[in-house]
Amino acid sequence: MGATTSLAGSELAVTPGEMVSTTVRVNNSGQLVDQFAVDIVGDAAAWSRVEPPLLNLLPGTEGEVTLVFAPPRDGTVPAGSVPFGVRVQSREDPAGSMVVEGAVEVGPYTDLRVELVPRTLNCRSRGRCAVVLDNASNHPLAVEVAASDPEDALRLRLNYATLTVEPGRAVFLRLRLKPKDRFLRGPERRHPFRIAVSTDGTAPATADGTLVQHQLIPKWLLPALLVLLALAIAAVTLWFTVLKPTIQSAARDTAAEVVAAEQAKLADKADTAVRKAAAAEERAVAAEKKADGVVPSTPPPVTGPGGVDVSRGQAFDFRVVTDAAATGDPGQFPKFTGDGVPDGKTLVITDVVLQNPRGDSGTLRILRGEKVLLEFGLSNFRDVDYHYLEPLTFPPGEELRVAVNCQVPGAPEPATGKCRPSVSFSGRISG
């Protein structure tokens, strides 16, 4: 055997942050000069040391080394018994190395820290902060947390009043504060408050904070209201001085254009009426002369296309009602004809009345056979009439037809999805 060892004290006690030591005696029981390396193994090795770590011994002699244990004062070393081993290794006879065992009793200590984040709060009606409980002890702590204010001016509420904090851990609690009295205007008010955290066997840990209470009406509100009032006054002034006169002027110009158009239309109708009246007066004079035995000269006949006399014939009128389905194709024109037009007769049209009472949108055409004579936008009229000094003539074989391209039907109740404009024709039938 290379060595024999003995541990002076196998049961040790130490308080974290302090140190304790013991000795180990090493005897060279071999026949050669030998060197022995001494170290500590186990959980205590991180916070212990050997002095000196090497021993040079002659045969039959012994030496002594000191073991020092110094656990740190933090939560990484829990309270309780920590076993360790002292290993003695022989350089000349590795098989003769030995290990002796012992234990260090680490004493408990309490280190509880309390902090407010933030320490100073600003609010108008209520505030909130965090209470940080940091357990720097080496054992769990069962704590009680209480909040108070010396002025009794606050309502304080914690989300937890009792809890257990593990060693080396921090816990965050939520504290809500609400002033009992509020004020609209005035200087700020400062309300101190305190958090007390107590645990068994130690004095309570405390943290002090301050709640700064401000007036309910923000200081910027009155200037902002004044600015808004000034902007409102400027907007009203701009409306009455610039925008309203401009709109009224534009309305007057539009009304004047509409009146001028209506006057022109009335003038055309009046001119037509005058010509009709003159023609009627001439016919009356001719009839009077005929009654007196004087035969007036016969005026030349009025002829239309193909030499048809359009001044004679039987008065005739009819109405074409359309019923066109809405379509997205602008080239689709369903055709409609009127009833009661005799075959083999010449149709002479002097008056046309267009009606679109439902406000349909699209295009309406009047055709002679396949030829388009007139085209109207449905959205341009609701009820309009036309009188032709030069009549529209439809000889036999060239039928009068109405074609409609329906884009957007009007909105009657119930909705039909169709356009239904109509055209009324007045004139003569001859031949």
Side-chain angles (χ1 to χ4, degrees), residues 157-375:
R157 187 173 65 179
L158 284 161
N159 57 339
Y160 292 101
T162 60
L163 67 157
T164 299
V165 185
E166 297 298 324
R169 299 291 182 90
V171 175
F172 290 79
L173 305 181
R174 184 172 61 250
L175 174 64
R176 295 181 178 178
L177 308 93
K178 183 177 181 181
K180 294 181 179 180
D181 297 326
R182 291 180 289 181
F183 57 98
L184 293 177
R185 299 190 63 185
E188 63 183 32
R189 301 175 184 177
R190 304 179 72 86
H191 305 292
F193 63 94
R194 169 170 291 185
I195 299 297
V197 183
S198 59
T199 185
D200 294 338
T202 61
T206 61
D208 295 326
T210 303
L211 175 69
V212 181
Q213 183 183 3
H214 298 274
Q215 61 185 21
L216 289 178
I217 299 178
K219 294 182 179 179
W220 52 265
L221 182 60
L222 183 58
L225 291 177
L226 293 176
V227 171
L228 290 177
L229 180 61
L231 291 176
I233 293 174
V236 172
T237 303
L238 181 65
W239 167 257
F240 283 103
T241 58
V242 178
L243 297 179
K244 185 177 180 180
T246 303
I247 294 174
Q248 290 177 342
S249 177
R252 285 195 297 269
D253 294 342
T254 303
E257 293 176 359
V258 173
V259 170
E262 292 296 330
Q263 289 178 346
K265 187 183 296 185
L266 292 175
D268 291 341
K269 291 184 178 180
D271 186 43
T272 301
V274 168
R275 287 195 295 270
K276 286 184 176 180
E281 185 177 357
E282 290 177 359
R283 287 195 295 270
V285 170
E288 184 178 354
K289 288 182 178 180
K290 185 176 181 180
D292 293 338
V294 179
V295 179
S297 60
T298 303
V302 180
T303 60
V308 177
D309 187 357
V310 299
S311 62
R312 297 184 180 182
Q314 181 182 358
F316 186 78
D317 56 48
F318 64 97
R319 183 167 179 255
V320 178
V321 179
T322 67
D323 187 18
T327 178
D329 183 3
Q332 181 176 344
F333 281 85
K335 299 178 178 62
F336 304 88
T337 59
D339 297 331
V341 180
D343 295 334
K345 298 291 184 178
T346 297
L347 181 61
V348 179
I349 300 300
T350 57
D351 293 275
V352 177
V353 179
L354 305 176
Q355 293 180 318
N356 182 20
R358 296 175 179 81
D360 302 326
S361 295
T363 306
L364 183 145
R365 293 175 176 175
I366 297 178
L367 301 91
R368 179 190 291 128
E370 296 298 329
K371 181 180 180 181
V372 178
L373 298 180
L374 300 171
E375 185 173 273

